[in-house]
Amino acid sequence: MKRLLKYAGLGIGAVALFVGIAALYIDKSDFPKYPVNVPTVKIESTPERVQRGHKLAMMLCVECHQNAETKQITGRPMYDLPAEFGTVFTKNITQHPTKGIGAWSDGELLYLLRTGVHPKTSLIIPLYMIRLPAMADEDIASIIAWLRSSDPLVQPLDVNNRFSEPSFLTKFLMRVVVKLFPLPSEKIALPDSTDKIALGKYLVRNLGCNDCHAADVTKVNPMEIEKTAGFLGGGSNWTDVNRKVLYSSNITFDKETGIGAWSEADFRRAMHEGIRPDGTTFRYPMERKPLLTNNEINAIYAYLQTVPHLKTPRKPSEEYVLPANASAGMKVYYNYGCQRCHGESGLGIGDLRQADKKYPDDETLIDVIKHTSKYYPETVMIQWDGIIKEDEYKPLADYVRELGRKADIAKAH
Ligand code: HEC
Ligand code: HEC
Ligand code: HEC
């Protein structure tokens, strides 16, 4: 990203007028358009597909499209997008016929997900929306079957889309770097689930591990992922829901700077629970993956062992500075990274502002914090039992209540 900006800067210096006019043009115009060629397909829905689609979508779509207030996939601000990309909202993709995607055909959904071109507007969709050019036909069909299913997350909800203002940088990238992926000319089969390395590679590519863990997310090679610069060595900048910058880590098997010293069991625990061997927890946007099976995680582990071991030290992240008079509870909240998902106000990918009313006694509220998956079986929230010290829960619960009350006061004004 920085390099691109520098490049743009040099260009302006050299051919100021030309670049100036080009920049004005890019800034004033929309994303580029492409001819749209929607395939005629009818995707059969089966219980297996809906189940598989739910699992994939929980890891691939729900995170970005779920609104913490409506609890459904009605779209949300992408506050976790680095600010240089602009102000962006994801969209309502519930089955609502006009506000959501209820009236889209299967072919239109398939076309968008495969190529990255919007079938209704012909515009290429911005690079921060996922594209799945290499996913198996069966898996894409499963996601589409799930979007059509009776899952509560996708039921029609009348919520308007909000309009995004992508930055000049985004528009520049959409003109110069991001291109459509042609529809695959041949069928894409699922990997052989008994071939660990093939399965691992498929998951690394299709769950976006390689996008986030590349040296630079704008320079990923999606078709031949292993040719991506700094493949899985980490270093791309990400942000949490408050737009604080942190960098992806090196997940190659380098012993010092990567995960080369982790056992398969360490890796499974980290992926399922979000807890590293040293006891530290993943910080958002890295989410634990409770829905992956042991077999799938072991396959990712096996594949990661085969890729070049890169020596890329961790870049220091931007830290939070608390006021000198911060309460004990506020310190606990920030110390364990609650704000990275729940925001400084209590609203982020999860909404804490109702917790005070929903769980009036401390015993229950603390139980929700300790064992969240008892209440939300598929949650990505870390299970804090055994991690947060026992005497820290009471002040933490007080602070969670305070966030709810502050939100009520703000609403009343
Ligand atoms: C990293 C965040 C992110 C992820 C992950 C993501 N989306 Fe999106 N999605 C967006 C954004 C942002 C837009 C709006 C793009 C725009 O402004 O044109 C969008 C737009 C869409 C649209 C177009 C809706 C419309 O009315 O124009 C569909 C359909 C969609 N996403 C489906 C999905 C599905 C299905 C998945 C999972 C396979 C998914 N998205 C994953 C961010 C995301
Ligand atoms: C949205 C971007 C994103 C995606 C997708 C993603 N990661 Fe991460 N990952 C990160 C970031 C950022 C960190 C650093 C988190 C931190 O600082 O605590 C991280 C950390 C990790 C770590 C911890 C390593 C260490 O020592 O810090 C592992 C292991 C990991 N990711 C594996 C994966 C795998 C496997 C996948 C695919 C299934 C994946 N990640 C998908 C962004 C992502
Ligand atoms: C990785 C992101 C993440 C982190 C970190 C996180 N949470 Fe959560 N939390 C969520 C999400 C998402 C939900 C909503 C439940 C769901 O659908 O998964 C949630 C739900 C909750 C709830 C229940 C709210 C309700 O209305 O039922 C409480 C309470 C809570 N979190 C407290 C905390 C506290 C305290 C911390 C820090 C110690 C924390 N969370 C850290 C993601 C996170």
Side-chain angles (χ1 to χ4, degrees), residues 59-60 63-64 80 200 203-213 217 232 235-239 246-251 257-259 262 266-267 270-271 274-278 280-287 289 292 297 300-301 304 314-315 317 340:
M59 292 184 281
L60 287 174
E63 186 219 325
C64 273
D80 42 352
L203 293 168
V204 163
R205 162 189 271 168
N206 287 295
L207 296 179
C209 321
N210 68 310
D211 299 318
C212 281
H213 286 275
V217 66
L232 301 176
S236 259
N237 61 316
W238 294 96
T239 51
L246 68 166
Y247 298 89
S248 61
S249 21
N250 182 346
I251 56 167
T257 62
I259 59 168
W262 295 20
D266 289 339
F267 185 70
M271 295 305 292
I275 306 170
R276 296 185 184 83
D278 68 4
T280 57
T281 49
F282 286 175
R283 294 177 296 181
Y284 184 82
M286 180 61 207
E287 294 185 338
K289 310 267 181 261
L292 288 178
I297 299 182
I300 295 177
Y301 184 84
L304 292 178
R314 186 67 176 272
K315 292 192 210 160
S317 47
R340 292 187 183 273

Side-chain angles (χ1 to χ4, degrees), residues 15-258:
V15 270
L17 188 65
F18 171 73
V19 174
I21 292 169
L24 193 70
Y25 169 72
I26 290 175
D27 200 37
K28 289 280 168 260
S29 62
D30 241 326
F31 292 147
K33 282 198 178 190
Y34 288 86
V36 170
N37 196 352
V38 173
T40 353
V41 284
K42 177 79 199 97
I43 287 168
E44 223 55 65
S45 177
T46 63
E48 294 73 31
R49 276 192 171 163
V50 171
Q51 199 186 0
R52 172 82 180 161
H54 172 83
K55 167 172 165 166
L56 290 169
M58 287 304 287
M59 292 184 281
L60 287 174
C61 321
V62 174
E63 186 219 325
C64 273
H65 283 276
Q66 186 173 28
N67 185 293
E69 290 172 281
T70 68
K71 306 267 190 288
Q72 285 187 233
I73 44 178
T74 55
R76 65 160 172 90
M78 270 184 93
Y79 23 51
D80 42 352
L81 186 74
E84 62 257 33
F85 289 104
T87 309
V88 174
F89 298 91
T90 67
K91 302 219 157 161
N92 184 343
I93 57 166
T94 69
Q95 295 164 0
H96 194 278
T98 52
K99 314 239 160 120
I101 54 168
W104 288 40
S105 69
D106 291 346
E108 285 173 327
L109 284 168
L110 182 71
Y111 192 78
L112 173 74
L113 293 173
R114 280 282 191 221
T115 66
V117 172
H118 198 290
K120 308 271 191 199
T121 62
S122 310
L123 299 171
I124 188 152
I125 52 161
L127 70 167
Y128 31 73
M129 158 68 191
I130 208 162
R131 301 142 222 262
L132 305 168
M135 184 174 266
D137 296 320
E138 181 55 29
D139 276 349
I140 285 225
S142 297
I143 293 177
I144 295 173
W146 173 75
L147 287 166
R148 311 287 197 209
S149 73
S150 59
D151 191 314
L153 282 166
V154 298
Q155 295 320 298
L157 205 62
D158 185 345
V159 175
N160 284 324
N161 281 320
R162 292 166 69 184
F163 287 96
S164 305
E165 284 171 57
S167 66
F168 172 73
L169 173 70
T170 300
K171 290 183 179 173
F172 175 77
L173 289 170
M174 298 315 290
R175 290 251 161 223
V176 180
V177 180
V178 184
K179 299 277 175 255
L180 101 162
F181 297 115
L183 277 178
S185 50
E186 282 161 34
K187 288 203 171 8
I188 307 180
L190 284 167
D192 172 357
S193 62
T194 61
D195 179 345
K196 262 188 162 180
I197 295 184
L199 175 62
K201 180 174 178 181
Y202 178 80
L203 293 168
V204 163
R205 162 189 271 168
N206 287 295
L207 296 179
C209 321
N210 68 310
D211 299 318
C212 281
H213 286 275
D216 181 342
V217 66
T218 64
K219 300 209 179 106
V220 171
N221 184 331
M223 300 319 279
E224 292 173 281
I225 54 171
E226 285 153 354
K227 292 195 177 151
T228 296
F231 182 53
L232 301 176
S236 259
N237 61 316
W238 294 96
T239 51
D240 66 16
V241 305
N242 309 302
R243 288 196 152 170
K244 282 275 189 216
V245 175
L246 68 166
Y247 298 89
S248 61
S249 21
N250 182 346
I251 56 167
T252 72
F253 269 68
D254 179 58
K255 280 229 156 45
E256 285 152 45
T257 62

Side-chain angles (χ1 to χ4, degrees), residues 58 66 68 71 281-288 332-342 348-356 358-359 364-366 368-370 372 375-382 384 388 393 396-397 400:
M58 287 304 287
Q66 186 173 28
K71 306 267 190 288
T281 49
F282 286 175
R283 294 177 296 181
Y284 184 82
M286 180 61 207
E287 294 185 338
R288 71 190 181 100
V332 181
Y333 187 80
Y334 281 81
N335 207 7
Y336 290 99
C338 313
Q339 82 288 3
R340 292 187 183 273
C341 288
H342 288 292
I349 61 158
D351 186 357
L352 281 187
R353 299 165 315 162
Q354 313 304 322
D356 179 40
K358 274 162 80 179
Y359 316 110
T364 316
L365 177 53
I366 290 173
V368 175
I369 299 174
K370 276 188 175 173
T372 319
Y375 302 82
Y376 300 96
E378 296 181 330
T379 189
V380 294
M381 181 165 148
I382 309 269
W384 296 104
I388 295 182
Y393 282 108
L396 178 60
V400 168

